[in-house]
Amino acid sequence: MTEEEFDAFYATTFPRLTGQLYAFTGDHGEAQDVVQEAFVRAWDRRREFLADGAPEAWIRTVATRLAVSRWRRARRWLELVRRTPPSDHAPGPGPERTTLIAALRTLPEAQRMAIVLHHLCDLSVEQVASETGAPVGTVKARLSRGRAALARVLSEDSADPAGSARPMDSAGAPGKGEREDDRVR
C-alpha cells in the first residue's frame, strides 16, 4: 500500500473504527486513542498491508487489544491503590526544618532564591545564575550574604527561646535587608 493509498484508507476507516471501538470502550477519547495507535503501528507495515487481505480487520484487532491492555493496566492500578490505603497521618516537618523555613523567610527574595536553588535544589552557581537571570558574581554575592544572614538569624533563634527571627541588614543590625539589586538600604 502506498502512502497515498494508506492516507485514503485512513480517511475512510478511522471514523468507522472509532465508532466501533467507542461502542466497545464506552469512552470516545479512549476509542480515538487506540484506533490512532493502531494506525501508527499499521503505518510501519503499510507495504505488506494489502497482502493481509483485511487491513481494516487488522486495525480493529490491534485497537481492541490496545483497549483491553489499557483497561487491564487501569484495573491493576486500581487494585494496587485499594490494597495500600493512605496512611492515617502524614508527619509534618520537623522543628529544624520549620526553623530553617522561618529563617529563610527573613531573607530578601533574591538571597532566599539563590540559597534555595543552590543548597536545597543542588544547582551549581552557574545554573542558579542561568535560572534567575543574574550574573554569576551577583549569585555568589547573594549566596554569601544570605548564608551570613541565615547564620545570624539561626544563632539568634538558638539564643532566643521565643524564636523571633528578624531580617538583618549587611552590618548585622535589625533592618529591612537588601533590595532586588543587592544594595543595602
Side-chain angles (χ1 to χ4, degrees), residues 142-179:
R142 288 175 179 170
L143 286 170
S144 176
R145 291 178 185 143
R147 284 189 291 255
L150 274 178
R152 284 189 301 272
V153 170
L154 291 173
S155 66
E156 277 184 6
D157 280 351
S158 63
D160 180 14
S164 60
R166 297 171 308 204
M168 302 286 175
D169 67 12
S170 64
K176 297 193 183 225
E178 71 176 357
R179 290 189 311 203

Side-chain angles (χ1 to χ4, degrees), residues 50-174:
L50 286 180
D52 290 344
E56 187 173 343
W58 189 89
I59 298 281
R60 184 176 27 261
T61 301
V62 170
T64 303
R65 288 178 180 166
L66 286 168
V68 168
S69 293
R70 287 181 176 195
W71 179 79
R72 285 180 181 154
R73 259 193 315 271
R75 189 180 71 194
R76 270 187 252 128
W77 179 83
L78 186 60
E79 288 171 1
L80 178 66
V81 168
R82 286 183 179 159
R83 272 189 264 155
T84 55
S87 64
D88 293 337
H89 176 70
E96 298 86 14
R97 185 158 184 95
T98 305
T99 303
L100 175 62
I101 298 300
L104 282 168
R105 285 183 184 157
T106 67
L107 297 179
E109 183 180 347
Q111 287 179 4
R112 183 172 55 238
M113 181 64 74
I115 294 282
V116 168
L117 290 175
H118 185 67
H119 292 287
L120 298 179
C121 297
D122 292 326
L123 298 182
S124 69
V125 172
E126 292 76 18
Q127 290 170 320
V128 173
S130 173
E131 193 157 317
T132 61
V136 172
T138 302
V139 171
K140 289 179 180 179
R142 288 175 179 170
L143 286 170
S144 176
R145 291 178 185 143
R147 284 189 291 255
L150 274 178
R152 284 189 301 272
V153 170
L154 291 173
S155 66
E156 277 184 6
D157 280 351
S158 63
D160 180 14
S164 60
R166 297 171 308 204
M168 302 286 175
D169 67 12
S170 64

